[in-house]
mmCIF file of all heavy atoms in Angstrom:
data_model
loop_
_atom_site.group_PDB
_atom_site.id
_atom_site.type_symbol
_atom_site.label_atom_id
_atom_site.label_comp_id
_atom_site.label_asym_id
_atom_site.label_seq_id
_atom_site.Cartn_x
_atom_site.Cartn_y
_atom_site.Cartn_z
ATOM 1 N N ALA Y 1125 98.153 81.965 90.039
ATOM 2 C CA ALA Y 1125 98.251 83.029 89.146
ATOM 3 C C ALA Y 1125 97.806 82.564 87.706
ATOM 4 O O ALA Y 1125 97.847 81.375 87.485
ATOM 5 C CB ALA Y 1125 99.717 83.493 89.121
ATOM 6 N N PHE Y 1140 80.934 83.185 102.924
ATOM 7 C CA PHE Y 1140 80.684 81.876 103.441
ATOM 8 C C PHE Y 1140 81.943 81.111 104.021
ATOM 9 O O PHE Y 1140 82.016 80.439 105.049
ATOM 10 C CB PHE Y 1140 79.942 80.893 102.379
ATOM 11 C CG PHE Y 1140 78.693 81.601 102.100
ATOM 12 C CD1 PHE Y 1140 78.360 82.237 100.808
ATOM 13 C CD2 PHE Y 1140 77.567 81.702 103.005
ATOM 14 C CE1 PHE Y 1140 77.194 82.667 100.522
ATOM 15 C CE2 PHE Y 1140 76.382 82.204 102.629
ATOM 16 C CZ PHE Y 1140 76.174 82.835 101.457
ATOM 17 N N VAL Y 1177 101.870 106.585 103.587
ATOM 18 C CA VAL Y 1177 100.645 106.036 102.868
ATOM 19 C C VAL Y 1177 99.410 106.896 103.124
ATOM 20 O O VAL Y 1177 98.681 107.254 102.195
ATOM 21 C CB VAL Y 1177 100.411 104.571 103.305
ATOM 22 C CG1 VAL Y 1177 99.083 104.019 102.506
ATOM 23 C CG2 VAL Y 1177 101.577 103.644 103.050
ATOM 24 N N VAL Y 1214 84.133 92.625 83.154
ATOM 25 C CA VAL Y 1214 84.164 93.784 82.181
ATOM 26 C C VAL Y 1214 85.203 93.627 81.093
ATOM 27 O O VAL Y 1214 86.307 92.964 81.361
ATOM 28 C CB VAL Y 1214 84.399 95.135 82.938
ATOM 29 C CG1 VAL Y 1214 83.232 95.438 83.908
ATOM 30 C CG2 VAL Y 1214 85.722 95.244 83.721
ATOM 31 N N ALA Y 1228 95.818 99.895 92.128
ATOM 32 C CA ALA Y 1228 96.561 101.119 91.583
ATOM 33 C C ALA Y 1228 98.061 100.993 91.826
ATOM 34 O O ALA Y 1228 98.452 100.322 92.748
ATOM 35 C CB ALA Y 1228 95.914 102.285 92.466
ATOM 36 N N SER Y 1300 108.795 92.498 79.772
ATOM 37 C CA SER Y 1300 108.387 91.776 80.919
ATOM 38 C C SER Y 1300 106.972 91.527 80.893
ATOM 39 O O SER Y 1300 106.400 91.123 81.992
ATOM 40 C CB SER Y 1300 108.859 92.665 82.123
ATOM 41 O OG SER Y 1300 110.139 92.982 82.118
ATOM 42 N N ARG Y 1317 103.452 117.971 101.479
ATOM 43 C CA ARG Y 1317 102.763 116.943 102.362
ATOM 44 C C ARG Y 1317 103.194 117.026 103.755
ATOM 45 O O ARG Y 1317 104.219 116.469 104.216
ATOM 46 C CB ARG Y 1317 102.991 115.593 101.738
ATOM 47 C CG ARG Y 1317 102.532 115.386 100.362
ATOM 48 C CD ARG Y 1317 102.804 114.010 99.871
ATOM 49 N NE ARG Y 1317 102.351 113.840 98.492
ATOM 50 C CZ ARG Y 1317 102.746 112.849 97.660
ATOM 51 N NH1 ARG Y 1317 103.522 111.886 98.137
ATOM 52 N NH2 ARG Y 1317 102.374 112.827 96.439
ATOM 53 N N ALA Y 1345 124.185 104.534 82.943
ATOM 54 C CA ALA Y 1345 125.214 105.210 82.086
ATOM 55 C C ALA Y 1345 125.422 106.770 82.449
ATOM 56 O O ALA Y 1345 126.386 107.286 82.097
ATOM 57 C CB ALA Y 1345 124.683 105.090 80.697
ATOM 58 N N GLY Y 1370 108.115 120.109 82.778
ATOM 59 C CA GLY Y 1370 107.944 120.770 81.345
ATOM 60 C C GLY Y 1370 107.182 120.144 80.297
ATOM 61 O O GLY Y 1370 107.063 120.640 79.221
ATOM 62 N N THR Y 1372 104.201 118.807 77.920
ATOM 63 C CA THR Y 1372 102.948 119.363 77.394
ATOM 64 C C THR Y 1372 102.250 118.274 76.630
ATOM 65 O O THR Y 1372 102.778 117.100 76.269
ATOM 66 C CB THR Y 1372 103.148 120.683 76.613
ATOM 67 O OG1 THR Y 1372 103.815 120.314 75.388
ATOM 68 C CG2 THR Y 1372 103.949 121.638 77.278
ATOM 69 N N GLU Y 1384 103.454 100.364 71.796
ATOM 70 C CA GLU Y 1384 102.356 99.764 70.895
ATOM 71 C C GLU Y 1384 101.032 99.535 71.556
ATOM 72 O O GLU Y 1384 100.010 99.595 70.984
ATOM 73 C CB GLU Y 1384 102.875 98.519 70.331
ATOM 74 C CG GLU Y 1384 103.874 98.675 69.311
ATOM 75 C CD GLU Y 1384 104.629 97.340 69.020
ATOM 76 O OE1 GLU Y 1384 104.066 96.250 69.338
ATOM 77 O OE2 GLU Y 1384 105.732 97.340 68.513
ATOM 78 N N GLY Y 1421 92.660 120.919 98.093
ATOM 79 C CA GLY Y 1421 91.550 121.810 97.629
ATOM 80 C C GLY Y 1421 91.034 121.507 96.230
ATOM 81 O O GLY Y 1421 90.235 122.191 95.605
ATOM 82 N N LEU Y 1440 87.032 106.561 74.960
ATOM 83 C CA LEU Y 1440 87.985 106.117 75.767
ATOM 84 C C LEU Y 1440 87.480 105.211 76.786
ATOM 85 O O LEU Y 1440 86.377 105.347 77.294
ATOM 86 C CB LEU Y 1440 88.828 107.278 76.393
ATOM 87 C CG LEU Y 1440 89.484 108.381 75.512
ATOM 88 C CD1 LEU Y 1440 90.069 109.340 76.398
ATOM 89 C CD2 LEU Y 1440 90.492 107.641 74.667
ATOM 90 N N LEU Y 1443 88.430 105.047 83.647
ATOM 91 C CA LEU Y 1443 88.674 104.412 84.860
ATOM 92 C C LEU Y 1443 88.644 105.356 86.068
ATOM 93 O O LEU Y 1443 88.600 106.680 85.706
ATOM 94 C CB LEU Y 1443 90.013 103.642 84.990
ATOM 95 C CG LEU Y 1443 90.206 102.413 84.074
ATOM 96 C CD1 LEU Y 1443 90.502 102.902 82.661
ATOM 97 C CD2 LEU Y 1443 91.220 101.514 84.633
ATOM 98 N N LEU Y 1460 78.271 105.703 87.670
ATOM 99 C CA LEU Y 1460 78.582 107.176 87.108
ATOM 100 C C LEU Y 1460 79.336 107.040 85.857
ATOM 101 O O LEU Y 1460 79.693 108.072 85.277
ATOM 102 C CB LEU Y 1460 79.342 107.983 88.097
ATOM 103 C CG LEU Y 1460 78.591 108.332 89.373
ATOM 104 C CD1 LEU Y 1460 79.454 109.075 90.479
ATOM 105 C CD2 LEU Y 1460 77.400 109.197 89.054
ATOM 106 N N PHE Y 1494 81.005 94.311 96.839
ATOM 107 C CA PHE Y 1494 80.435 94.919 95.658
ATOM 108 C C PHE Y 1494 79.334 93.958 95.022
ATOM 109 O O PHE Y 1494 78.272 94.427 94.555
ATOM 110 C CB PHE Y 1494 81.502 95.171 94.542
ATOM 111 C CG PHE Y 1494 81.068 95.558 93.188
ATOM 112 C CD1 PHE Y 1494 80.281 96.625 93.090
ATOM 113 C CD2 PHE Y 1494 81.399 94.712 92.186
ATOM 114 C CE1 PHE Y 1494 79.743 96.967 91.703
ATOM 115 C CE2 PHE Y 1494 80.858 95.037 90.748
ATOM 116 C CZ PHE Y 1494 80.055 96.270 90.693
ATOM 117 N N ASP Y 1512 71.082 105.726 86.537
ATOM 118 C CA ASP Y 1512 69.596 105.511 87.098
ATOM 119 C C ASP Y 1512 69.605 104.849 88.493
ATOM 120 O O ASP Y 1512 68.610 104.896 89.148
ATOM 121 C CB ASP Y 1512 68.923 104.714 86.127
ATOM 122 C CG ASP Y 1512 68.545 105.409 84.946
ATOM 123 O OD1 ASP Y 1512 68.878 106.590 84.898
ATOM 124 O OD2 ASP Y 1512 68.154 104.737 83.868
ATOM 125 N N VAL Y 1518 72.003 116.483 98.055
ATOM 126 C CA VAL Y 1518 72.677 117.823 97.884
ATOM 127 C C VAL Y 1518 73.537 118.119 99.104
ATOM 128 O O VAL Y 1518 73.137 117.727 100.169
ATOM 129 C CB VAL Y 1518 71.504 118.934 97.643
ATOM 130 C CG1 VAL Y 1518 72.303 120.348 97.235
ATOM 131 C CG2 VAL Y 1518 70.578 118.593 96.694
#
Side-chain angles (χ1 to χ4, degrees):
F1140 296 110
V1177 177
V1214 292
S1300 307
R1317 295 183 186 166
T1372 67
E1384 284 165 22
L1440 299 180
L1443 291 83
L1460 293 173
F1494 170 59
D1512 293 348
V1518 192

